[in-house]
Amino acid sequence: MRPLLRLTGDDVPTVDVLITYCGEGLDVVLDTVRAACALDYPTNRYRVILSDDGNSVDLQNRIDIMRKHHGNLFYTTRGVDVAVHSKAANLNHALAFVEGLKASEYVAFLDVDMIPMPTFLRALVPHLLNDLSLAMATSPQCFYNIPDSDPLCQCLSSSFDIQRLLEDSSGLVFCTGTGFVLRSSAAKQIGGIPTDHVMEDIMTSLLLLAKGWKIAYVWEPLQWGLVPNNFAGRAMQATKMAKGFTALIPAVMDSPLADLSFSERLRTALSSVAFVGPTLALTCAMLFIPTVLIFEKPFVTPKSPQQLRNLLTLSALQLLVTWLNGLITAEATSFQLPIWPSYRLPFLAPFLSIAISRLLFPFRQYFSPSGSTDNEEREREALASKSLMKHLNFLFRDLSLWLHLLVITSMIVSATLNLKAVFSQNVDSHLRQLFVGAAWPPAFVHWIMFIVQCWKPVAYVIFPLRRYPREALLDRDPKTKLAYPSAMAKDGQRIRPSQGFPLVILTYSVFVLGCSWGFRFE
């Protein structure tokens, strides 16, 4: 982990802070702009540029009013005739805008909802000053509106508290997408932000690496933003990531990245496979497991009782080792992660697999959760309605939750039929048939996990947990209207998930291990 640094004094480099906007809530973007204008940094040494792809007259008027008190605040827009609305194209417009103002030595990027902490620049810039081989210093994404217990697994501690630290120690870390500072000279060298890839942050990182630059990951909470407040938004966010990781493999072979080393290409491709592989495997398992159970086929065919005992012992030990690894990982994040790893989240796997398949084999998609900007409001209206048909229409057509109910039903029915078939046989063979069928440890863990995980989005929509209004999660100065996330909003204990399922897995693993040692399975 890199040391935490602070830039002191007023003799500091110049920085342009870019904020991109494209039709999000005015209250959200204005809170980000206010915080950016209130950074602990000499106002004559940094500028805040809001680049508006939504061409909002109301927003422009609000910024004009704020400019009376903040002379370093600027507004720009690409206008109404924008062919492609994208974050990358908007950022490139902002870079061209500051070039006309005489670009600063560094440029910082913030998403529209990411409220920067006052120390944002003083914490990141010194890393670039100390190491001239660094093109970028990036920070973790933190979120202040995650619901209690984090039912949709939106906390990214596994990525930002563990994975990125390991990547940084190995010398190959990617940009986190927001909350980073980039050398202006490096941005010019790579031709700005790439617009031909879904994940512009990773492609920017790869282009910098190809030019011989390095990237630093600074593990410090310097920005706090928002997660989607509905299941559709969560699914759309994950789908974008799936498309981006899938497109990474061919991207690393393109000519712009020709100067990447073999190890950099290999590790980038493996990171893509590590995301795509489990997603496709989970989707296949959702089809494979109930099929095997319904047709009363064994998952394994041991040739002898001793071989079955050996297989059960190894399976139980594998589960216990996975559980222990999950415990260590969860403890490292103050248990903001479940002990039992959910891999790529089974309740999102069907949507992600379809997105991946469409990239590999283009076809028409007949179902997907709607990700429109007004989805949260439509969700509230549909669930508040007294019409049963409106409820069902929203759940099954708009959110495609019929997929999850189908998975849950298929797992319960197939497991029940398999157990019924086992117990209708000779009593002496019950235990043996159980452990090669529904109770075979890898299969058991997965069909139980599919039921638990696929019920999460259904329960989240039908029985929503308490959702705090955004304003209730902020400490706002009544005079300046400057707002930062409250201590309650940033409290990691509030979003700790339930550890009930991991305890079931632990208990079952110990039970299987005991059976493998205590029964002969003759």
Side-chain angles (χ1 to χ4, degrees), residues 159-174:
S159 175
F160 295 122
D161 294 350
I162 299 175
Q163 181 181 342
R164 296 299 172 98
L165 286 173
L166 293 174
E167 291 174 351
D168 190 39
S169 64
S170 67
L172 181 63
V173 66
F174 294 138

Side-chain angles (χ1 to χ4, degrees), residues 23-74:
E24 296 86 353
L26 283 181
D27 58 330
V28 173
V29 64
L30 290 175
D31 280 340
T32 301
V33 171
R34 291 190 192 100
C37 291
L39 293 176
D40 177 20
Y41 209 79
T43 55
N44 64 333
R45 303 299 290 171
Y46 85 103
R47 296 177 297 214
V48 178
I49 292 88
L50 177 64
S51 187
D52 177 14
D53 239 14
N55 197 39
S56 169
V57 176
D58 192 8
L59 177 59
Q60 183 175 7
N61 292 336
R62 301 287 288 274
I63 296 299
D64 287 342
I65 294 174
M66 293 179 65
R67 275 179 53 80
K68 296 177 181 178
H69 305 283
H70 304 285
N72 60 338
L73 174 61
F74 296 85

Side-chain angles (χ1 to χ4, degrees), residues 98-171:
V98 297
E99 191 69 29
L101 300 176
K102 188 180 179 182
S104 298
E105 299 166 70
Y106 298 93
V107 58
F109 297 80
L110 287 170
D111 277 354
V112 65
D113 60 314
M114 282 291 176
I115 296 176
M117 295 296 99
T119 56
F120 173 65
L121 292 180
R122 289 194 182 273
L124 293 180
V125 171
H127 291 275
L128 298 170
L129 292 176
N130 285 354
D131 188 346
L132 298 181
S133 67
L134 290 177
M136 177 191 297
T138 186
S139 61
Q141 293 187 30
C142 305
F143 305 100
Y144 63 89
N145 71 324
I146 296 177
D148 293 350
S149 302
D150 191 16
L152 296 184
C153 305
Q154 292 171 290
C155 174
L156 300 179
S157 292
S158 61
S159 175
F160 295 122
D161 294 350
I162 299 175
Q163 181 181 342
R164 296 299 172 98
L165 286 173
L166 293 174
E167 291 174 351
D168 190 39
S169 64
S170 67

Side-chain angles (χ1 to χ4, degrees), residues 104-266:
S104 298
E105 299 166 70
Y106 298 93
V107 58
F109 297 80
L110 287 170
D111 277 354
V112 65
D113 60 314
M114 282 291 176
I115 296 176
M117 295 296 99
T119 56
F120 173 65
L121 292 180
R122 289 194 182 273
L124 293 180
V125 171
H127 291 275
L128 298 170
L129 292 176
N130 285 354
D131 188 346
L132 298 181
S133 67
L134 290 177
M136 177 191 297
T138 186
S139 61
Q141 293 187 30
C142 305
F143 305 100
Y144 63 89
N145 71 324
I146 296 177
D148 293 350
S149 302
D150 191 16
L152 296 184
C153 305
Q154 292 171 290
C155 174
L156 300 179
S157 292
S158 61
S159 175
F160 295 122
D161 294 350
I162 299 175
Q163 181 181 342
R164 296 299 172 98
L165 286 173
L166 293 174
E167 291 174 351
D168 190 39
S169 64
S170 67
L172 181 63
V173 66
F174 294 138
C175 169
T176 57
T178 175
F180 62 93
V181 178
L182 174 66
R183 291 185 193 274
S184 296
S185 58
K188 292 178 183 178
Q189 187 178 2
I190 63 173
I193 308 301
T195 58
D196 56 352
H197 195 277
V198 176
M199 299 181 74
E200 69 283 333
D201 49 356
I202 292 183
M203 282 304 297
T204 299
S205 304
L206 290 173
L207 288 171
L208 290 171
L209 292 170
K211 296 295 184 182
W213 290 100
K214 297 179 181 178
I215 299 172
Y217 177 66
V218 181
W219 191 47
E220 186 176 358
L222 298 173
Q223 55 173 344
W224 290 84
L226 301 170
V227 297
N229 252 339
N230 54 76
F231 173 66
R234 174 71 174 100
M236 290 293 290
Q237 185 183 62
T239 299
K240 178 184 176 182
M241 289 184 63
K243 292 178 179 178
F245 275 106
T246 304
L248 269 185
I249 296 179
V252 296
M253 305 306 295
D254 287 348
S255 56
L257 301 177
D259 292 330
L260 283 177
S261 67
F262 174 77
S263 64
E264 290 171 338
R265 291 177 189 272
L266 180 61

Side-chain angles (χ1 to χ4, degrees), residues 236-407:
M236 290 293 290
Q237 185 183 62
T239 299
K240 178 184 176 182
M241 289 184 63
K243 292 178 179 178
F245 275 106
T246 304
L248 269 185
I249 296 179
V252 296
M253 305 306 295
D254 287 348
S255 56
L257 301 177
D259 292 330
L260 283 177
S261 67
F262 174 77
S263 64
E264 290 171 338
R265 291 177 189 272
L266 180 61
R267 291 168 64 182
T268 302
L270 288 177
S271 68
S272 176
V273 172
F275 185 98
V276 173
T279 297
L280 297 177
L282 284 173
T283 305
C284 291
M286 290 178 181
L287 301 173
F288 174 73
I289 291 176
T291 302
V292 172
L293 292 177
I294 288 175
F295 287 98
E296 301 177 21
K297 300 295 182 180
F299 287 100
V300 290
T301 54
K303 296 180 179 180
S304 66
Q306 182 59 45
Q307 191 177 64
L308 177 58
R309 287 197 295 272
N310 292 342
L311 288 172
L312 289 175
T313 299
L314 291 174
S315 296
L317 290 175
Q318 184 269 329
L319 292 179
L320 289 172
V321 169
T322 303
W323 197 93
L324 181 60
N325 178 70
L327 176 65
I328 296 171
T329 302
E331 194 279 333
T333 64
S334 301
F335 290 95
Q336 293 181 26
L337 295 174
I339 293 175
W340 186 259
S342 299
Y343 304 106
R344 290 303 168 195
L345 304 179
F347 65 85
L348 293 173
F351 300 128
L352 305 190
S353 296
I354 291 170
I356 293 168
S357 300
R358 288 188 70 195
L359 280 179
L360 301 176
F361 314 102
F363 62 90
R364 181 179 177 184
Q365 184 173 348
Y366 289 95
F367 57 89
S368 66
S370 170
S372 59
T373 55
D374 62 343
N375 188 268
E376 184 180 350
E377 183 177 347
R378 290 171 53 238
E379 180 176 316
R380 286 197 300 265
E381 291 178 356
L383 298 181
S385 171
K386 296 181 179 180
S387 170
L388 176 61
M389 291 304 299
K390 193 169 184 178
H391 275 245
L392 296 177
N393 184 60
F394 179 77
L395 294 175
F396 294 127
R397 191 194 70 177
D398 291 4
L399 297 185
S400 298
L401 289 182
W402 61 269
L403 276 171
H404 301 81
L405 295 176
L406 180 62
V407 170

